[in-house]
Amino acid sequence: MNYYAVYLPMKDEELSATYRPDHLAYLDARMAEGKVKAKGRFTDGSGGLVIYQADSAEDVEEYVKHDPYIVNGARSYVIKEWEAAFAE
């Protein structure tokens, strides 16, 4: 399994506010499945970052395409494979 950083830059602040509860519920469900390892917003309001763990970037793109932020046009996305190093 690999890690993928998904940058979710802001497209529409109003839509983002509207769909935030759905977005967070979606990510919480993916966390419960073990697919999302970390999530959070940028304090400057420019968007957020989600760390997925999956077999491929294609798998991650399928998850991202079902995120309410993406479905409803509130955010765009960029997926990058991430070679993670964690403190022990």
Side-chain angles (χ1 to χ4, degrees):
M1 293 272 231
N2 301 313
Y3 290 100
Y4 296 86
V6 179
Y7 173 47
L8 298 167
M10 184 71 67
K11 282 177 62 178
D12 186 306
E13 287 184 32
E14 187 175 320
L15 286 175
S16 196
T18 298
Y19 292 105
R20 182 174 169 77
D22 297 333
H23 163 75
L24 294 175
Y26 179 78
L27 292 183
D28 286 345
R30 302 299 73 75
M31 284 185 111
E33 297 168 350
K35 295 173 182 168
V36 169
K37 297 302 181 180
K39 61 185 169 94
R41 65 180 194 89
F42 296 118
T43 59
D44 66 0
S46 64
L49 184 73
V50 181
I51 304 298
Y52 283 89
Q53 188 175 27
D55 289 325
S56 70
E58 292 79 17
D59 289 344
V60 173
E61 187 161 30
E62 281 304 308
Y63 306 143
V64 173
K65 285 182 177 180
H66 291 92
D67 184 322
Y69 272 171
I70 302 306
V71 171
N72 294 290
R75 306 280 178 99
S76 58
Y77 65 92
V78 176
I79 300 170
K80 296 283 189 177
E81 188 168 357
W82 184 46
E83 289 187 13
F86 296 96
E88 294 184 34

